[in-house]
Amino acid sequence: MGEAIPFPQTQPRGYEWLEGEPAFDPEQHLQLEGPAEVLMLADLGYDAAEIATKATPVALSSPFRMLSDEGAAVMLETARRLRCFTRPAGERIERTVRGGCYRSRWLRDLCLSPEVTAHLEAIYGIEIAPHPMPVHLGHLNYEPSQIDRAIDKWHHDTLPLDYVLAVTDPADVAGGRFEWFGGTKHEAADLADAGQQVPAARTVAPDFAGAGYAIALHGDMVVHRAGPLDEMCERISMVNGYVATDTTIDEQSRTCDLIEVDDHETLWTEWAKFAAWRSQGRLATLVEELEFTSDADAVIAELEHAIGDAQRAVAEMRSRERGMQHYGG
């Protein structure tokens, strides 16, 4: 467990701290319990070769308790106070709040909590850190304005690892269930290309026992959504992102998707720092491990690979291509 990049000491322009918040106290606000079940990527149909390049072979957990009753109450109040900052995330989500950790110190400290990070490490089986891009910390989804609209369409995430937390008590919500697809993202893409929906027979809607319960997710690999409501009501969930501290594995991010979602005041700088952190780690590995060789092409390939994340970030920033990927529904 570690810190990839320190959380910024200053806020971006246009962000102000909420007043009158309680201080985050892990002893009061957390009640960490282990999940009853953990599924692997192989269980979803991914092959060994693809799994070997990913952050962890874990796919997702069953719901487990994360927050105490007091912590769940503070989380709900915080989400309600941040509701005034909702905006669309492309055509995928109608109402979301990004950058909430620049507005709420309580939310920031929950999302950076070393206790929660250690708990998730035990589930994923690898060393992780809160995502170096704070826009991926404390992402909030709210109910849509129309009854027939999914809260969040079928998709796989723009980041590697995360948890989905029930902020409102699912028992008080008519519909709006978190669902995941019992297959690969490649199968989901083939279904979408054929104009078909994810089949209900291969959809799982796990039971969250109450507000403050979460599910750990290999977000880039597990296709999931928040389904439509049966009745109009308040429905809020929170997603917090993580990365593997091992920078030699695949990045597993689609940061270019965020160009139409996040404030550019935050996005460009966070993106650049993230790419630099990844490249720095790979360059350090190259310094430590590159052996003497007369094969110039092999050395060039290693060096290009080490700086690949930074080069890709530059190319995507310049292209300004936009679009949130999803599979409909």
Side-chain angles (χ1 to χ4, degrees), residues 205-266:
D207 285 327
F208 287 70
Y213 280 73
I215 188 169
L217 203 61
H218 197 146
D220 174 53
M221 301 296 283
V222 179
V223 176
H224 56 283
R225 74 165 183 172
L229 297 170
D230 297 328
E231 301 174 5
M232 291 304 298
C233 60
E234 181 182 47
R235 193 275 190 190
I236 311 172
S237 60
M238 189 269 275
V239 180
N240 196 51
Y242 295 85
V243 293
T245 56
D246 180 1
T247 57
T248 65
I249 59 175
D250 283 358
E251 180 189 0
Q252 293 188 257
S253 296
R254 298 191 318 279
T255 310
C256 59
D257 284 22
L258 306 179
I259 293 174
E260 69 172 343
V261 175
D262 289 319
D263 292 333
H264 290 180
E265 174 80 13
T266 59

Side-chain angles (χ1 to χ4, degrees), residues 87-96 149 153 257-262 322-326:
R87 61 199 299 183
E91 63 173 23
R92 209 185 85 192
I93 314 171
E94 181 184 358
R95 291 174 174 168
T96 186
R149 182 176 297 174
K153 294 181 173 65
D257 284 22
L258 306 179
I259 293 174
E260 69 172 343
V261 175
D262 289 319
R322 303 161 182 250
M324 288 282 285
Q325 296 182 20
H326 63 80

Side-chain angles (χ1 to χ4, degrees), residues 289-308:
E289 299 181 3
L290 186 64
E291 298 181 353
F292 290 111
T293 178
S294 60
D295 189 341
D297 290 338
V299 171
I300 291 168
E302 291 283 356
L303 193 57
E304 286 183 329
H305 176 71
I307 62 174

